[in-house]
Amino acid sequence: MHAPDSSNPKQAFADLLNEHHRALFAFVYSLVHNHADAEDVYQQAALTMWRKFDDFQIGTSFSAWAAQVVRNTARDWLKAKRRRAASFSDDFIDAVQSAYVSRSPEHYAAKSDALEACVGKLSSRDRDLLAMFYAPARDVIQIASVTRRSVDAVYQAMSRIRKSLAHCIQRRLAAEG
């Protein structure tokens, strides 16, 4: 991590956004719960941050500033999608934002690295199921057909895989201190 070059605002923005990308995307995803939607919201937030970057004070917390932009962008997106069954209150979004801001980019990088290592330890069958399940255009009925399992069995297998990954990540992060 290095201090952004305040003499070149375009480069400073690119450096800060790159440094905080994983954490900001994780924050967006935690709010919208869909990878494609999270990509759309993240891109919109990044454009908004670019347009408003002159308002950001170099040397202050980019995480906090960016989280506020992401929060507002996600809130507006969720309001536009109110017809969905599950939408979140502003209080919930505020709570998720507080949790995000309290973590450093290194925290998210460590979790991402641990996840990658733990996925690598899964059997090829479980990795394939995981990839199918989290593909952007997933269809659980199609996954069940391809894997010759019932839909319920796919969900049960995914639950087992998620628990296994969560335990593995916790062990790795605890071992790293």
Side-chain angles (χ1 to χ4, degrees):
M1 205 176 345
H2 65 282
D5 178 6
S6 59
S7 67
N8 184 346
K10 289 180 181 179
Q11 188 60 50
F13 176 78
D15 290 346
L16 288 166
L17 189 62
N18 185 49
E19 178 181 336
H20 296 273
H21 168 76
R22 280 185 183 176
L24 288 170
F25 188 83
F27 177 38
V28 170
Y29 187 82
S30 72
L31 297 173
V32 300
H33 296 283
N34 176 291
H35 196 271
D37 292 341
E39 287 178 355
D40 291 344
V41 171
Y42 179 83
Q43 290 300 319
Q44 184 61 45
L47 285 171
T48 301
M49 285 183 262
W50 172 248
R51 286 186 204 118
K52 295 184 175 194
F53 192 64
D54 289 341
D55 298 342
F56 175 70
Q57 295 293 320
I58 301 285
T60 61
S61 175
F62 182 81
S63 287
W65 179 78
Q68 188 63 38
V69 173
V70 165
R71 176 205 180 279
N72 291 338
T73 304
R75 184 193 63 217
D76 293 346
W77 184 87
L78 288 167
K79 282 181 181 176
K81 299 288 184 175
R82 284 277 189 223
R83 68 182 186 275
R84 287 180 160 181
S87 60
F88 300 113
S89 69
D90 287 346
D91 290 339
F92 175 79
I93 294 172
D94 289 342
V96 173
Q97 178 184 2
S98 294
Y100 160 76
V101 170
S102 69
R103 301 274 169 76
S104 69
E106 293 82 13
H107 168 80
Y108 293 101
K111 280 186 99 168
S112 180
D113 292 344
L115 174 60
E116 187 176 327
C118 291
V119 167
K121 291 181 178 182
L122 292 174
S123 69
S124 61
R125 182 178 180 195
D126 284 351
R127 276 195 309 273
D128 290 345
L129 180 61
L130 192 67
M132 283 187 275
F133 195 83
Y134 287 106
R138 81 170 172 143
D139 177 351
V140 178
I141 295 171
Q142 185 179 18
I143 293 169
S145 174
V146 167
T147 60
R148 294 190 171 124
R149 299 180 186 189
S150 68
V151 169
D152 190 46
V154 169
Y155 281 117
Q156 287 176 6
M158 285 305 304
S159 177
R160 180 187 47 77
I161 292 168
R162 284 189 200 108
K163 285 177 187 173
S164 172
L165 289 172
H167 290 295
C168 178
I169 291 167
Q170 288 172 347
R171 284 190 305 271
R172 289 186 68 87
L173 293 176
E176 292 173 8

